[in-house]
Amino acid sequence: MDMSAGNRKGIGLFALIMIGIGSIFGSGWLFGAGAAAQVAGPAALVAWVIGAVFIGMIAMCYAEVGSAYPIPGGMARYGHLSHGPVLGFLTGWAVWIATASLIPIESIAATQYMSSWSYAWARGLVDPGSGHLTATGMGVALLLTFALWLTCYWSVQLLARANTVLTLVKFAIPVLAVAALIASGFHTSNFTAHGGFTPYGWPAVLTAVTTCGVVFAFNGFQAVINLGGAAKNPGRAIPVALVGALSLGLVIYLALQTAFLGAVPPEQLAQGGGWHGVDFSSPFADLAKVLMLHWVVTLLQFGAFISPAGSNIANVASAAYMVQNLAETGFFPRKLATVHPRYGTARPAMWLNLGFSVLLLVTVGHSWHALASVISAAMVISYLIGPIAVGVFRRTRPDLPRPFRLPAAGVLAPLTFAFAACALYWSKWPDTGKVALLTVVAAPVAAVVLRRHGVTGLRRQFAPAWWLVGFLAWMSVLSALGSPDFGGHGVIPGGLDIALVALSAVAFYFWAVRAGVHAHRAGLTASGPALDDPAGSGAALDGPAGSGPVLDGRTASPASSVVAPEDNRPTASV
């Protein structure tokens, strides 16, 4: 999609904030409070605060990098800029998987809430025993996936206009739901009964952060980073939109969690033997039915369509940008980056994402909760490059204009990386192993692509990426051997496991930064924020620093960048 300076007039600050809020208020609010309460009890409130702090730290790292390099879909490109093509592909692959996976889960959410309708066919969308979609439910989810995907098929301007309207409408729905649930009867005893505030201990709170949709809910900040390059003034718009969207999101999610905890009838809580026994297929709608709030049920059923639709507008656009960036760097077919000459959308990229969404939906997308836990772990891996890129660019590009600078970056960047490592560990085994394997499988693909384009010296090309392979392998081992509270086999006792994760993560952080610095000195990183392929060969792999990409062994001219008159920083025509 063409987001050069001359074509970046369509998304203003308010629209970018609405995109962020619209992405944060997706299906997470429909299911997150119920899932977190079931896992952690009243302490689920703490899980939302931890999740917001974690995502806020990640977002501020990306705010510095994103405002310096305002590239649409930039989260798929920053690894390439900091460490070269191989790590760029590994991290870009992880970001693409995490982002494209959001498209089908929103349709699953809408379908599950449809099962709360009073019609017989609607009740047959979800199996009451397993909580999974039936064959009919799967068909409805597929239909919704295609319908929501079409929203972004024509233009980016349509994205901004439609998302602003949808966000303003759907923002009112959780607010009204909170007010109605509290007014129906707020039971303060629920916060201390059946085991107290932390009935299942603090490990359950940490698990809720990643497995119950907390990280998933706040992941909407990525839309601001990935689409912020299309803003009028990215340097100012990106950090302001991030702070505004995350702050408002935390307030609303805390209100939703509080209302849910206090509205559950004490007798139902006692009948279930505590919070583990409170299991709603459509949490807020089912709770409203129990409380005889029929108008709230109708409102929530309507919101179950509005919220996923609003989020998927940004998801479809962001996922398309990811594919374009991977195609521009040569690791995906060049044709996937083709932009429609009239509407400005990368339709081949969108078709690829639609196919991936359908595959994910029919294979593992049996329920919102089943898919959300895996996606959350994948999201955490996609966050890893943010704080590392800050450390690398501070050392290799000290004079780069940074409209936003992460304060105390020497401390906060490694701390943020350690926090991300802990969040990945909290995702629980075997999900940690699954997503680690899904990421590392990109390494042999990278080797094949490099050889295909005649690039020699694979050991040199892979040198800046070994830290990520080692980190994911190490995290998988710790997860498998760690505390049973996080799905492990108990070889490493509780407490010691998290300490090992955090301390080893700091060591991996400095290894990664050092690898990035060496990659810059070796000339493996890009000379600009984006690499074009003027020869049309489909490769955009770097040669010596400043010489431009290597195309099948030939050196091409350096990538052309566009200078945005608003802030005099480089951007790219993607």
Side-chain angles (χ1 to χ4, degrees), residues 195-477:
F197 184 74
T198 56
Y200 310 114
W202 290 107
V205 178
L206 301 178
T207 296
V209 173
T210 51
T211 64
C212 297
V214 176
V215 167
F216 171 83
F218 287 118
N219 183 67
F221 88 90
Q222 286 199 33
V224 176
I225 301 295
N226 292 324
L227 302 178
K232 295 179 180 179
N233 185 349
R236 173 176 176 269
I238 290 175
V240 171
L242 284 173
V243 172
L246 287 173
S247 299
L248 186 57
L250 176 60
V251 170
I252 297 300
Y253 277 117
L254 285 176
L256 284 163
Q257 187 68 70
T258 302
F260 183 88
L261 292 167
V264 173
E267 57 273 16
Q268 184 169 359
L269 190 59
Q271 183 180 359
W275 290 102
H276 276 348
V278 180
D279 186 12
F280 293 126
S281 176
S282 305
F284 281 104
D286 291 344
L287 181 58
K289 283 183 177 181
V290 171
L291 300 175
M292 304 296 289
L293 298 174
H294 299 296
W295 70 272
V296 176
V297 174
T298 302
L299 182 71
L300 290 169
Q301 290 170 342
F302 175 70
F305 278 97
I306 294 297
S307 294
S311 293
N312 252 8
I313 290 175
N315 293 338
V316 171
S318 294
Y321 281 137
M322 302 305 174
V323 174
Q324 284 182 276
N325 274 283
L326 291 173
E328 290 289 337
T329 55
F331 286 100
F332 273 16
R334 180 73 177 183
K335 291 181 179 180
L336 292 175
T338 303
V339 176
H340 192 280
R342 178 179 178 185
Y343 298 112
T345 55
R347 292 185 172 179
M350 294 179 68
W351 280 109
L352 174 66
N353 291 328
L354 179 64
F356 176 76
S357 300
V358 171
L359 176 65
L360 193 65
L361 199 156
V362 299
T363 54
V364 297
H366 305 301
S367 69
W368 183 91
H369 190 274
L371 195 53
S373 60
V374 177
I375 291 178
S376 295
M379 288 174 179
V380 173
I381 292 180
S382 73
Y383 299 155
L384 296 176
I385 195 61
I388 290 171
V390 170
V392 172
F393 293 142
R394 287 288 183 98
R395 295 182 60 180
T396 60
R397 301 293 303 277
D399 298 328
L400 182 71
R402 291 173 171 84
F404 174 83
R405 294 180 66 90
L406 179 70
V411 174
L412 287 183
L415 181 62
T416 301
F417 186 83
F419 206 157
C422 290
L424 179 60
Y425 180 75
W426 298 337
S427 300
K428 303 181 71 171
W429 180 263
D431 285 345
T432 48
K434 291 178 181 178
V435 296
L437 180 62
L438 186 61
T439 303
V440 173
V441 75
V445 176
V448 171
V449 173
L450 288 169
R451 284 192 177 277
R452 178 184 175 188
H453 292 295
V455 177
T456 58
L458 290 186
R459 179 178 299 180
R460 175 174 173 267
Q461 294 284 345
F462 271 81
W466 287 125
W467 70 265
L468 179 59
V469 176
F471 172 76
L472 294 178
W474 174 245
M475 287 298 301
S476 298
V477 170

Side-chain angles (χ1 to χ4, degrees), residues 170-183:
K170 75 178 184 179
F171 178 74
I173 295 176
V175 173
L176 291 173
V178 167
L181 290 175
I182 293 178

